[in-house]
Amino acid sequence: MKKILFVLTIFVALASNATEYESHNFKNGLEAIEKKDFRGALDFLKKEVADNPKNGYAYFWLASISMYNDKFHSEIENRGDVFKFALNMSDALNYYRDALKYIPKNDREYRSKAYNQRSELYLFMRDTISALDDLSASIKILPQNPEVFKARANIYFSQGKIKLADADYNKIISINPNDVVGYMGIGRNRIAQGKWDEAIEKFNRVEKIDPNYSYVYLLRAESYIGKKDYEKAADDLISALKKDDKDAYYTIFKFDKDVIAKVIEKVKAESEKSPNDSKWPMCNAIIHDQIGEYKEAIKYNQQAYKIEPSVPVLDMLSKQYLRDFQWENSLSCVERLLESDPHDLKKVFLKAYLLKGLGRPQEAIPLMNEYLAENNNDALCFYLRGGANAQLGNYDDAIEDLTTAIDLNPTYAHSYLMRGDMYKKKNKDSYANSDYNKVLSLEAPSKNYCCSYFACLGLGDTTKAIEIMEDVLKRNPTLWGNNYDAACLYSRMNRNSEALLYLETAIKMGYKSHLRFDFDYYFDDFRKRADFKALSDKYKDLMRENDF
């Protein structure tokens, strides 16, 4: 979004210089641009080209605004993808064509900008030949614009044309010897070639020019890793973190476990040196979260929150508690987040999900209703609300929700499985069997089984159910999820000793949610057994021992 605002700022600056045409519509269009009223500007400029079809500047602005319309803005905010120009591409290309046809040859700035902007549109369309042609045309008109050389160098790099990319980065340096972009680009090229020392030399130059340019430390760290100098790599990653470079948190995970271990060690040292700086425990929390050590992540985020309570840390805690099956703690965090922003629908959805998982479907359903009022195309939420209604015994409502989930996502086998189970409970066996067979048809081609063993059981084919289950366990014997499913399957078949064995195996492999013991309808009969209760109580005690 920042890049869009930057581009629009340039547009506004250019607009103030476009004064050749004095028509009412054109002047009003430029004034609307300066006020950032782009929809109003579109209306005025379309009237302008109808009255003055040779006004190249009007076409330029129509093209520019077409690339940044309201719907495009909302997509940027929702997805974070900066240059997705799917909307109005055809209109924009036509406007650029007419802009370049009618803008005077002596107006080098506008013509160069038009070529440059159109190249971005071609790039989105994956037409790199046209993009390169436009960038070269822009350079020919204004040969001292480093941004255009940078754009062309990036394309050359993506094509593996390192020499051509180097030439453009060297041109940037010749234009301005203190422009870090040229050195960074050449350094990146040397990394691609495995020439670590040459890369480091370029990055050292960048550090001298601008020691606060945090990205240089990330790329130099990558170079040191290439040299297997993990100590210096870790030092550079710490330097990036000190500059508050958010990318540094996640760049770390591209690297070798030895580097990660050194970074963790150095982060701890920084935390000891600055005990009131929440950044360092939060950094360690992110690292441990990414490597799946959720208890450690929780511990460090709790430290960070104690130093400086903040929404980002609380948000991370809510997710880490959830991943560690500490649902009550996760719910507590989500409720506190909703206190600060009760209209955050993502958190409303998460709260509903947690309440359902905690066996409180009557509280979850109103929240799901609230979420679906604004997100009525969310198949997952309809599926979950179907599950909540199933927990309450509202089988008709569950079937209705699951049918909607299927309409929205007809390839999600779990929806058919649960709807089949609901039909079974209502003694509608033909409907149930149809759904079970659909599960088999969805999963059979890839043999990526998640539901087929339960579907076979629903169809009464216990031999096939066991065959598929054993195949899944053979291919992935160490996944607790597979062992949990085996426990559910054998429980429904009244093969209780095997069910108990697989459930205990799942626990030993990392399954931690005793809550599903209490609410999973596949264990309805199994739950009544003393040996099941003993295992469940033992596991609950273990969970209490590990709670924070």
Side-chain angles (χ1 to χ4, degrees):
M1 196 62 175
K2 288 180 180 177
K3 187 166 185 179
I4 290 172
L5 295 175
F6 173 71
V7 173
L8 292 178
T9 301
I10 293 174
F11 288 171
V12 172
L14 278 172
S16 63
N17 295 327
T19 56
E20 179 179 337
Y21 284 84
E22 298 295 331
S23 69
H24 170 79
N25 284 321
F26 188 62
K27 287 174 68 176
N28 283 344
L30 296 187
E31 286 175 6
I33 291 170
E34 291 187 58
K35 294 175 183 175
K36 299 184 181 178
D37 174 14
F38 300 110
R39 183 166 297 189
L42 276 175
D43 292 338
F44 284 120
L45 292 168
K46 284 180 179 178
K47 292 175 184 176
E48 170 63 18
V49 295
D51 294 340
N52 296 304
K54 293 186 178 182
N55 183 345
Y57 299 101
Y59 289 116
F60 173 86
W61 291 111
L62 282 167
S64 301
I65 296 168
S66 293
M67 292 167 64
Y68 300 92
N69 58 40
D70 290 341
K71 190 173 180 182
F72 173 58
H73 287 173
S74 67
E75 288 191 354
I76 299 300
E77 290 167 2
N78 290 337
R79 292 203 306 265
D81 302 327
V82 176
F83 280 105
K84 286 199 177 295
F85 304 129
L87 302 164
N88 298 330
M89 284 193 298
S90 178
D91 285 346
L93 285 173
N94 289 333
Y95 290 142
Y96 280 125
R97 178 199 64 203
D98 291 336
L100 289 164
K101 181 178 180 180
Y102 295 118
I103 290 174
K105 301 289 185 186
N106 61 358
D107 194 334
R108 292 151 60 91
E109 185 175 14
Y110 261 92
R111 292 185 66 80
S112 177
K113 189 66 181 173
Y115 279 119
N116 190 15
Q117 287 179 196
R118 190 172 68 176
S119 74
E120 294 173 349
L121 199 53
Y122 280 131
L123 269 183
F124 173 73
M125 298 166 68
R126 294 179 172 81
D127 184 354
T128 53
I129 294 174
S130 296
L132 284 169
D133 287 344
D134 272 1
L135 288 168
S136 297
S138 180
I139 287 169
K140 187 175 181 180
I141 295 168
L142 284 180
Q144 299 298 308
N145 185 347
E147 287 298 318
V148 185
F149 283 104
K150 177 185 174 183
R152 192 171 69 175
N154 282 334
I155 296 176
Y156 285 143
F157 177 80
S158 70
Q159 295 177 331
K161 297 176 180 178
I162 301 297
K163 287 185 179 179
L164 290 174
D166 280 349
D168 277 351
Y169 286 127
N170 278 316
K171 181 64 178 177
I172 293 171
I173 293 169
S174 72
I175 294 169
N176 179 4
N178 289 320
D179 189 334
V180 300
V181 169
Y183 302 105
M184 289 292 289
I186 294 172
R188 179 192 64 179
N189 291 352
R190 297 296 86 80
I191 288 176
Q193 295 173 321
K195 297 178 178 179
W196 313 117
D197 288 325
E198 291 180 34
I200 289 167
E201 180 188 349
K202 295 300 178 186
F203 298 140
N204 289 345
R205 181 67 183 271
V206 172
E207 185 183 21
K208 287 181 181 177
I209 295 170
D210 184 2
N212 291 316
Y213 187 65
S214 61
Y215 191 52
V216 69
Y217 300 106
L218 300 182
L219 287 188
R220 194 169 64 183
E222 195 168 335
S223 305
Y224 281 126
I225 288 166
K227 288 169 61 71
K228 300 191 184 308
D229 189 340
Y230 300 136
E231 192 72 34
K232 288 183 178 177
D235 285 337
D236 268 349
L237 289 168
I238 293 296
S239 294
L241 289 167
K242 284 181 177 178
K243 309 295 181 189
D244 286 327
D245 190 313
K246 301 298 186 290
D247 289 336
Y249 291 118
Y250 303 101
T251 301
I252 292 167
F253 308 111
K254 296 194 317 184
F255 302 139
D256 187 278
K257 62 181 180 180
D258 294 329
V259 180
I260 295 173
K262 285 192 176 295
V263 171
I264 291 172
E265 180 184 312
K266 289 178 182 291
V267 168
K268 286 179 181 177
E270 292 294 333
S271 188
E272 289 171 4
K273 285 191 287 185
S274 305
N276 295 320
D277 188 345
S278 64
K279 171 172 59 184
W280 298 113
M282 187 167 72
C283 175
N284 250 339
I286 293 171
I287 295 171
H288 285 287
D289 181 79
Q290 292 295 310
I291 60 179
E293 294 178 353
Y294 302 126
K295 289 194 182 301
E296 286 295 299
I298 290 166
K299 180 180 74 175
Y300 283 114
N301 259 332
Q302 286 178 329
Q303 288 179 13
Y305 195 78
K306 187 175 181 180
I307 294 168
E308 184 182 358
S310 69
V311 167
V313 173
L314 197 60
D315 188 39
M316 279 193 287
L317 271 170
S318 71
K319 294 169 184 173
Q320 287 157 355
Y321 280 131
L322 177 59
R323 293 187 193 111
D324 199 49
F325 295 94
Q326 298 188 46
W327 290 43
E328 291 281 7
N329 287 337
S330 180
L331 179 61
S332 175
C333 290
V334 171
E335 287 175 337
R336 287 154 72 187
L337 288 165
L338 283 169
E339 286 174 8
S340 61
D341 184 2
H343 302 295
D344 185 339
L345 288 178
K346 289 182 180 178
K347 296 297 178 293
V348 169
F349 175 83
L350 181 54
K351 182 178 178 181
Y353 175 81
L354 290 164
L355 287 168
K356 176 187 174 297
L358 287 164
R360 294 156 64 181
Q362 68 281 0
E363 297 172 65
I365 288 175
L367 294 171
M368 292 176 182
N369 295 343
E370 179 184 348
Y371 176 83
L372 287 169
E374 300 293 331
N375 298 275
N376 61 2
N377 290 318
D378 192 321
L380 177 60
C381 193
F382 278 106
Y383 169 78
L384 291 172
R385 194 172 69 177
N389 275 311
Q391 284 176 285
L392 291 170
N394 300 332
Y395 302 135
D396 288 328
D397 291 340
I399 289 168
E400 183 179 344
D401 279 337
L402 293 164
T403 300
T404 304
I406 288 166
D407 290 341
L408 292 169
N409 184 2
T411 63
Y412 189 55
H414 289 80
S415 296
Y416 294 98
L417 178 67
M418 190 185 295
R419 191 175 68 173
D421 289 344
M422 296 303 100
Y423 280 133
K424 199 86 168 176
K425 287 182 179 293
K426 290 181 66 64
N427 297 315
K428 294 185 176 182
D429 289 351
S430 62
Y431 289 103
N433 291 344
S434 175
D435 277 348
Y436 294 143
N437 281 312
K438 181 65 177 178
V439 171
L440 297 177
S441 69
L442 285 170
E443 295 189 345
S446 66
K447 294 188 176 180
N448 184 22
Y449 300 117
C450 296
C451 304
S452 289
Y453 28 84
F454 295 129
C456 287
L457 184 63
L459 289 166
D461 190 347
T462 56
T463 302
K464 186 66 175 176
I466 292 171
E467 178 186 323
I468 294 174
M469 188 75 256
E470 287 180 347
D471 178 61
V472 169
L473 289 166
K474 184 177 180 181
R475 283 188 283 130
N476 295 288
T478 60
L479 292 180
W480 64 255
N482 291 340
N483 284 275
Y484 181 87
D485 280 358
C488 292
L489 181 70
Y490 285 111
S491 167
R492 290 300 290 271
M493 294 166 60
N494 292 318
R495 293 170 61 165
N496 296 313
S497 60
E498 289 161 285
L500 201 66
L501 177 63
Y502 280 115
L503 187 56
E504 190 159 13
T505 302
I507 293 168
K508 290 177 179 178
M509 288 179 175
Y511 180 72
K512 301 176 183 178
S513 181
H514 70 269
L515 294 166
R516 281 177 69 177
F517 290 179
D518 297 333
F519 307 118
D520 197 323
Y521 60 79
Y522 277 81
F523 288 148
D524 281 351
D525 294 326
F526 195 27
R527 250 193 305 273
K528 300 170 186 176
R529 292 174 54 89
D531 47 5
F532 176 90
K533 188 176 184 307
L535 180 64
S536 178
D537 289 344
K538 175 183 174 182
Y539 185 52
K540 288 178 183 178
D541 290 342
L542 181 63
M543 285 293 291
R544 278 195 289 271
E545 288 172 13
N546 290 331
D547 273 351
F548 286 90

